[in-house]
Amino acid sequence: MAQSQNFRTAFNGFNREDVVHYLEYLNARHQSQIQQLTAEAEELRERAAQQPEDSQQRIAALEAENEELTRQLEQVRQELEQAQQELEQARQPAEKDPEPESPVPDIVDPELSAYRRAEAVEYAAKRRAELIYHQANGVLTEATNKVEGLSDNITQMADQAMSQLTQLQVAVSGSKQTLQEVLAIMKAIRPNP
């Protein structure tokens, strides 16, 4: 906004030198504001041009990481299926062998040993399946957290760019208003014909 300026009076209105000096001051200030705003606008354009490249690079990196995590998850699933198959195979021989009607002392020890081995295989398969589940869950949680972090960063950058563009718009409006004030002053000091 322009300061109020008191001009000395002269024979035909205001002192022309005072008016000319004031107009030169307003013009210089306006030119300075235009240069500053132009520099800020150029900087914002460069940032805006750079942000999509950064975003594309981040998206590509996240997609590659997502593919790797998907591959790891598929591998974990296959290991889990294999462990379940091993468990089923360990159960089948124990289920197929009928119990003898009259236990013979020589057979009891091998059956008990086979039963204990089957229990050990079943326990190991359950522990392995649980471990694989926890690993897969950890990988998925980590990937989810990274995607959420990237989303927050992109939102923050977009908000910052919008804020700076709003400031630029306010400054341009202020310059426009200053020019209108100068025009009004020029009309006011125009000599009458």
Side-chain angles (χ1 to χ4, degrees):
M1 294 231 185
Q3 307 174 310
S4 67
Q5 176 69 30
N6 293 327
F7 298 113
R8 295 178 292 177
T9 57
F11 182 68
N12 284 334
F14 296 109
N15 185 318
R16 288 181 186 252
E17 287 181 23
D18 290 349
V19 172
V20 169
H21 288 300
Y22 182 67
L23 291 176
E24 287 173 352
Y25 160 76
L26 286 178
N27 189 33
R29 188 176 76 174
H30 177 68
Q31 290 297 326
S32 172
Q33 286 178 343
I34 288 175
Q35 289 174 353
Q36 180 184 2
L37 293 174
T38 303
E40 288 177 12
E42 187 60 35
E43 182 181 339
L44 287 174
R45 280 190 199 101
E46 288 174 7
R47 279 188 185 171
Q50 191 177 37
Q51 284 179 354
E53 292 174 9
D54 292 344
S55 298
Q56 292 295 335
Q57 290 173 353
R58 287 182 184 171
I59 289 170
L62 284 175
E63 285 175 351
E65 189 173 341
N66 185 28
E67 289 175 11
E68 175 65 20
L69 293 175
T70 303
R71 187 190 60 75
Q72 289 176 2
L73 179 61
E74 188 59 35
Q75 183 180 0
V76 168
R77 283 183 183 157
Q78 290 174 356
E79 289 177 6
L80 179 59
E81 287 176 9
Q82 183 181 2
Q84 288 175 342
Q85 288 174 356
E86 289 175 6
L87 178 61
E88 287 298 320
Q89 289 173 356
R91 285 184 181 169
Q92 286 176 357
E95 293 172 359
K96 287 182 181 176
D97 291 339
E99 286 188 30
E101 294 180 17
S102 60
V104 179
D106 292 341
I107 299 176
V108 173
D109 254 353
E111 284 183 4
L112 185 58
S113 166
Y115 178 75
R116 288 186 178 153
R117 280 195 314 264
E119 280 187 332
V121 168
E122 182 179 354
Y123 176 76
K126 284 182 181 177
R127 293 288 298 155
R128 187 172 179 190
E130 186 177 331
L131 178 64
I132 290 170
Y133 169 78
H134 286 298
Q135 287 175 344
N137 195 24
V139 167
L140 289 175
T141 302
E142 183 179 337
T144 302
N145 290 341
K146 285 184 179 180
V147 169
E148 287 176 359
L150 179 61
S151 175
D152 292 344
N153 286 344
I154 289 173
T155 302
Q156 186 180 21
M157 286 180 189
D159 290 345
Q160 184 180 10
M162 287 302 295
S163 172
Q164 290 175 345
L165 287 173
T166 302
Q167 290 175 355
L168 179 62
Q169 185 178 13
V170 167
V172 168
S173 293
S175 295
K176 182 179 176 181
Q177 185 177 0
T178 301
L179 287 174
Q180 289 173 347
E181 289 174 0
V182 168
L183 184 61
I185 291 173
M186 291 297 291
K187 287 181 180 179
I189 64 170
R190 182 178 170 193
N192 290 335

